[in-house]
Amino acid sequence: MSYSTEIDSKGFTIINNVYSNIEIDKLISLIENITENETENATFRKSQDLFAIRQFHKEIPETLPFIFNENLKNIIESTFGKDYFITKSIYFDKPEKSNWFVAYHQDLTISVNRKIELDNFVNWTIKQNQFAVQPPKEILENNFTIRIHIDKTTKDNGALKVINNSHSKGILRIENLKIEKETICEVEKGGIMIMKPLLFHASNKTTNNERRRVIHIEFSKKELPDGLEWSEKTVLENLTANQIL
């Protein structure tokens, strides 16, 4: 089964061995260089259960040539085609003793540059000068997310659990969804998970005292209407590790 067929039918796929240990070590080094020296940044969120960096690809752009290695670029193009761009990115670091968990949900909002009253753009919010809105279902259905696993992720340290094929049911409340099959998405260090934003997903508490670090990147190829723009839009062009080695 091809990646695109699996994503269409299940809403997700897992691909291991996308990154070498050297590439993962380089990503860790770049992240730690920033996080050790800057703790007051508004896009950083730190608690005993979670450390997160919003707008990750803008905060640490040096990581991009390593993230978009030949393996990942080939996977994106062969699975989705060309013309996709980054719309949002977040780095999650779930510590060894984290009690943080997330209930089942869909990823329904996008980050935009300003608030404009438009048909079918609803549930506006603003946090730390960042506007977010729920766009029409057609935009969300076109998008996809890649989660890059810096650590081995299992059911014991917060691997996502998903409801298979729930992305095909539209936007709905979890209590209205008939659950036919649930999967725990365990991923090796250096592997990725690709998922659709409307796929219902959740995460449990950590129970094995093992860290879980993930780079979460969302993609689209849809332009927004009437002057509304993706606030984190970054076009992928000619990114190679040689640029920053």
Side-chain angles (χ1 to χ4, degrees):
M1 183 183 293
S2 69
Y3 300 142
S4 57
T5 301
E6 188 170 29
I7 293 165
D8 287 343
S9 64
K10 294 166 49 178
F12 70 97
T13 191
I14 294 168
I15 310 170
N16 287 312
N17 301 312
V18 176
Y19 297 94
S20 68
N21 285 334
I22 292 174
E23 288 170 320
I24 292 296
D25 288 344
K26 184 62 180 180
L27 286 172
I28 292 171
S29 175
L30 290 167
I31 293 167
E32 288 181 347
N33 284 344
I34 295 295
T35 57
E36 287 176 358
N37 298 317
E38 189 168 1
T39 58
E40 301 301 321
N41 193 311
T43 63
F44 289 24
R45 173 189 168 191
K46 189 169 186 178
S47 71
Q48 64 179 5
D49 287 321
L50 176 70
F51 176 70
I53 303 174
R54 296 189 177 276
Q55 302 184 30
F56 172 78
H57 67 288
K58 289 189 171 185
E59 291 293 343
I60 316 181
E62 298 87 351
T63 59
L64 286 174
F66 293 97
I67 290 171
F68 290 93
N69 65 6
E70 288 304 311
N71 284 341
L72 189 67
K73 289 191 288 187
N74 289 337
I75 289 167
I76 291 173
E77 186 168 337
S78 64
T79 305
F80 300 101
K82 298 182 178 180
D83 302 323
Y84 277 88
F85 46 82
I86 298 172
T87 61
K88 182 190 293 186
S89 66
I90 309 171
Y91 167 73
F92 295 106
D93 180 353
K94 194 172 186 178
E96 294 87 341
K97 297 185 182 299
S98 175
N99 286 319
W100 179 63
F101 73 96
V102 180
Y104 265 121
H105 66 286
Q106 298 171 297
D107 290 338
L108 297 180
T109 63
I110 61 174
S111 298
V112 295
N113 63 327
R114 56 179 171 154
K115 183 176 181 179
I116 305 175
E117 295 298 338
L118 297 172
D119 290 343
N120 299 317
F121 283 76
V122 299
N123 299 328
W124 286 90
T125 61
I126 182 171
K127 183 182 295 185
Q128 297 170 339
N129 298 317
Q130 174 66 71
F131 289 99
V133 65
Q134 181 179 319
K137 177 169 66 75
E138 293 72 24
I139 291 178
L140 295 172
E141 288 175 334
N142 176 263
N143 294 356
F144 66 92
T145 297
I146 294 179
R147 292 170 58 89
I148 299 162
H149 289 252
I150 293 176
D151 301 296
K152 181 176 181 178
T153 303
T154 70
K155 62 181 177 61
D156 298 320
N157 69 334
L160 286 192
K161 56 182 181 179
V162 303
I163 300 173
N164 292 37
N165 196 39
S166 55
H167 70 298
S168 68
K169 312 300 182 183
I171 297 172
L172 72 167
R173 297 177 66 87
I174 184 64
E175 56 264 31
N176 296 326
L177 176 67
K178 180 181 179 181
I179 300 177
E180 297 178 356
K181 183 177 180 181
E182 182 182 76
T183 299
I184 296 176
C185 299
E186 297 187 318
V187 187
E188 295 294 327
K189 175 182 177 180
I192 66 172
M193 176 184 177
I194 304 176
M195 59 181 282
K196 301 294 285 182
L198 293 184
L199 182 76
F200 272 96
H201 56 287
S203 175
N204 288 336
K205 299 176 181 179
T206 297
T207 60
N208 64 353
N209 294 323
E210 291 185 6
R211 193 174 186 181
R212 191 207 74 180
R213 290 168 290 183
V214 172
I215 299 171
H216 167 115
I217 306 178
E218 300 177 15
F219 298 83
S220 183
K221 64 177 180 181
K222 293 285 190 181
E223 297 298 336
L224 301 175
D226 299 327
L228 193 65
E229 296 179 2
W230 303 92
S231 64
E232 298 181 48
K233 180 177 178 179
T234 300
V235 177
L236 312 175
E237 290 181 349
N238 304 318
L239 289 173
T240 63
N242 291 331
Q243 288 176 278
I244 57 174
L245 282 175

